[in-house]
Amino acid sequence: MKPILAVAALAFLLAGCANTESQRDRMLIGAGLGAATGATIGAVAGSTVNATIAGAALGAVGGGLIGVVTTPRNCIAHDLNGTPYKVRCP
């Protein structure tokens, strides 16, 4: 149980470092957070390794989908003078 909590805490800390709006990055962060949360819930609810793995898999898929769906359509870039303008997200 302690390794799962350590992984979940690490995932939350790393998610705070993400400062990008690209669809791929949001999907990966969502999948990581979903997997950590799903594994924790699976471990608590099922108390078996299979329940933990199933929870992690379902959480990863759900978190990845939510990350993709919530990606903004336009990103903000800055020109040489510092003026912001909208660009298509990578």
Side-chain angles (χ1 to χ4, degrees):
M1 184 72 170
K2 286 184 182 180
I4 294 171
L5 293 176
V7 169
L10 181 63
F12 284 116
L13 290 173
L14 291 176
C17 297
N19 195 17
T20 183
E21 295 294 328
S22 74
Q23 190 174 28
R24 184 191 72 227
D25 291 342
R26 289 178 68 98
M27 179 190 67
L28 291 174
I29 291 169
L33 291 174
T37 304
T40 304
I41 292 171
V44 171
S47 298
T48 65
V49 174
N50 290 335
T52 304
I53 293 171
L58 291 172
V61 171
L65 289 174
I66 290 171
V68 168
V69 171
T70 60
T71 303
R73 298 290 180 217
N74 290 316
C75 292
I76 304 296
H78 298 278
D79 63 10
L80 295 175
N81 297 324
T83 306
Y85 61 97
K86 289 185 179 182
V87 295
R88 183 178 169 98
C89 292

